[in-house]
Amino acid sequence: MAVQYVQYKGIKFPPGYNSVDSLYFAENEFQVRDDDIFNITYPKSGTVWMIEILSLILNDGNPTWNQGILNSLRAPWFTTQLGLETAHNLPSPRLLTCHLPIQIFPKAFFSSKSKVVYTLRDPRDVLVSYYHFSKMCIPFGDPKSFNHFLDRFLKGDVPFGSWFDHIRGWMKLKGKSNIFFISYEQLQEDLYGSIKDLSIFLGKELDEAAITSIVEHASFEAMRKNNMCNSTMLPKEVMDQEKGSFLRKGICGDWKTHFTMAQSEYFNRVYQEKMRGLKETFPWEPT
Ligand code: A3P
């Protein structure tokens, strides 16, 4: 049966956890604390990876919290009813996670000193990861064929809306001192250096041993083994582990094994058009 998405301000959200009320609350009434740290992404850009990294940074590299408490309780999805309750009860500083586009992000953020870490990823790899994820994560809906999903993705007709709009919206905050942009590709290339930069942004002084511990415990292999972040604790009605693996490949450039020449040309055409006028150069763009 086709999934009935929740519609909020012209954007589709997966049903079950999200509702119009919970999204309205997140946007208009959520109380932001000055020391909140928001982990924001478009889906499949490294959200859960960043939860592990930020949780470890807050604990000076000690993995006990990451290994003992579910990621959704450490960095709740505050746009959902369940996540909201968790968020209310968390001591400060809180880690909070969401995929919200900027136009429906909590209004209270804009007059607060809270911080945002925004992780972005090559949209072709996002698309591939999203396609596989949608097969196993029931509320996201059956993606049907790869070609069909690619077309929907490029039209922004997928949960959480258009990748292009998400990026362009958040990029408007570039240069503000309380927002830190980082890419999945940077994390892959230099995890140690990325953790160092993130910890400076968060005002945490970490020594070499702490950073080395974070690199180890936030590795793809360590995360695959950790039931607190590998999604295996989710019920089968939400995440069907027989249809895939949440921590699937964890590499850059997997799109090359999925895109045909024609799909690549279609993608590039839309990318050029949608990214026009943006001054930024991204790690996945040819130099
Ligand atoms: P793939 O499907 O390409 O493997 P999100 O958390 O935003 O849903 O993103 C999930 C993607 O991040 C998946 O990509 C997953 O494998 C990847 N990922 C998660 N943890 C990772 C890690 N430690 N190293 C590399 N990739 C990781």
Side-chain angles (χ1 to χ4, degrees):
M1 210 170 63
V3 163
Q4 295 296 312
Y5 294 106
V6 171
Q7 294 280 349
Y8 186 75
K9 296 210 165 170
I11 294 180
K12 284 177 175 173
F13 291 85
Y17 294 111
N18 297 284
S19 67
V20 169
D21 285 350
S22 70
L23 290 159
Y24 178 89
F25 189 91
E27 181 191 3
N28 297 291
E29 287 171 38
F30 185 68
Q31 292 195 0
V32 175
R33 302 180 195 161
D34 276 338
D35 51 7
D36 281 341
I37 301 160
F38 289 94
N39 171 34
I40 302 171
T41 55
Y42 184 83
K44 312 319 293 171
S45 305
T47 327
V48 167
W49 192 5
M50 189 51 76
I51 294 179
E52 291 313 287
I53 294 170
L54 295 174
S55 301
L56 286 158
I57 290 178
L58 289 190
N59 285 282
D60 303 302
N62 181 335
T64 313
W65 199 41
N66 293 52
Q67 290 170 349
I69 305 288
L70 270 179
N71 55 2
S72 56
L73 299 177
R74 286 184 268 122
W77 296 81
F78 67 95
T79 59
T80 67
Q81 188 53 43
L82 201 63
L84 187 62
E85 281 166 29
T86 309
H88 277 150
N89 294 324
L90 274 185
S92 296
R94 299 185 294 189
L95 286 179
L96 300 162
T97 304
C98 76
H99 293 315
L100 287 180
I102 196 158
Q103 69 274 20
I104 45 185
F105 196 64
K107 291 198 165 87
F109 163 77
F110 298 94
S111 56
S112 80
K113 295 196 181 90
S114 60
K115 293 182 177 171
V116 161
V117 175
Y118 188 93
T119 311
L120 55 161
R121 185 182 190 186
D122 184 332
R124 294 164 296 187
D125 285 336
V126 167
L127 195 164
V128 167
S129 182
Y130 212 165
Y131 166 70
H132 290 287
F133 174 76
S134 303
K135 288 196 225 172
M136 70 180 303
C137 191
I138 314 304
F140 279 74
D142 178 2
K144 304 204 176 101
S145 70
F146 182 71
N147 203 46
H148 177 75
F149 190 75
L150 179 133
D151 193 45
R152 279 179 54 206
F153 181 91
L154 291 179
K155 290 180 172 145
D157 182 27
V158 288
F160 298 97
S162 156
W163 179 89
F164 303 99
D165 293 350
H166 209 280
I167 297 294
R168 293 191 74 113
W170 279 101
M171 286 313 264
K172 285 188 198 141
L173 296 194
K174 189 104 205 222
K176 290 212 178 292
S177 60
N178 62 338
I179 177 155
F180 188 90
F181 288 92
I182 190 158
S183 67
Y184 181 95
E185 290 71 23
Q186 279 171 280
L187 294 172
Q188 286 279 12
E189 196 178 302
D190 180 11
L191 187 54
Y192 188 99
S194 301
I195 293 166
K196 208 168 166 177
D197 292 346
L198 276 162
S199 59
I200 293 168
F201 170 68
L202 297 175
K204 286 284 287 183
E205 270 190 41
L206 297 182
D207 60 19
E208 224 179 286
I211 301 179
T212 305
S213 168
I214 300 173
V215 170
E216 184 193 325
H217 294 289
S219 71
F220 187 71
E221 295 70 31
M223 284 179 58
R224 270 197 139 178
K225 285 190 208 129
N226 183 359
N227 289 344
M228 299 296 118
C229 68
N230 63 14
S231 95
T232 54
M233 303 295 274
L234 287 167
K236 194 171 178 198
E237 315 82 77
V238 175
M239 198 73 100
D240 188 344
Q241 306 290 341
E242 283 165 22
K243 296 204 172 130
S245 174
F246 174 75
L247 286 141
R248 193 183 57 92
K249 284 199 181 168
I251 57 169
C252 298
D254 195 31
W255 66 270
K256 291 177 194 151
T257 65
H258 286 71
F259 281 47
T260 62
M261 192 72 91
Q263 287 167 341
S264 199
E265 282 168 7
Y266 175 29
F267 185 97
N268 290 341
R269 232 178 12 254
V270 175
Y271 186 90
Q272 297 302 330
E273 185 193 310
K274 298 272 188 191
M275 300 296 269
R276 192 171 296 138
L278 209 59
K279 300 249 174 350
E280 203 68 30
T281 36
F282 297 100
W284 54 84
E285 290 177 347
T287 43

